[in-house]
């Protein structure tokens, strides 16, 4: 994972998953990634604390790159690059 300043490239889609609880943030992320080309970057904003474990786990098992994982108050912000083996 890299810091904000190390991330380059455009964000293909932003997902607002605020107010959704497990498993919905991951399901929304999966649906978005399925519709995009390999290498595309998706940003997802969630408020479910479980997303702090669920989204990195999804990326790890799905072959995606977790570029950013940070907390901003009660919001969790992630950037994910779609992997080739997804």
């Amino acid at each position: 994972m890299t810091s904000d300043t190390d991330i380059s490239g455009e964000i293909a889609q932003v997902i607002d998953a605020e107010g959704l609880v497990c498993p919905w943030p991951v399901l929304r992320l999966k649906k978005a990634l399925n519709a995009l080309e390999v290498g595309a970057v998706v940003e997802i904003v969630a408020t479910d604390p479980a997303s702090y474990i669920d989204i990195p786990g999804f990326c790890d098992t799905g072959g995606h790159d977790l570029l950013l994982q940070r907390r901003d108050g009660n919001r969790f912000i992630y950037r994910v690059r779609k992997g080739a083996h997804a």
Side-chain angles (χ1 to χ4, degrees):
M1 185 170 29
T2 59
S3 69
D4 280 335
T5 57
D6 296 329
I7 298 172
S8 60
E10 284 189 35
I11 296 171
Q13 185 173 348
V14 176
I15 302 167
D16 179 3
E18 293 183 65
L20 301 178
V21 295
C22 180
W24 292 108
V26 169
L27 292 175
R28 294 264 174 104
L29 176 59
K30 181 178 180 179
K31 182 179 180 181
L33 290 172
N34 284 342
L36 295 171
E37 297 288 326
V38 171
V41 175
V42 173
E43 181 171 285
I44 179 166
V45 180
T47 51
D48 181 10
S51 70
Y52 213 72
I53 295 169
D54 295 342
I55 289 179
F58 167 77
C59 292
D60 190 43
T61 60
H64 307 292
D65 296 319
L66 182 61
L67 303 175
L68 172 71
Q69 178 182 17
R70 73 177 165 91
R71 185 174 186 165
D72 181 16
N74 69 337
R75 298 169 62 212
F76 300 91
I77 302 165
Y78 310 90
R79 287 190 190 156
V80 176
R81 179 181 294 123
K82 182 175 179 172
H85 301 291

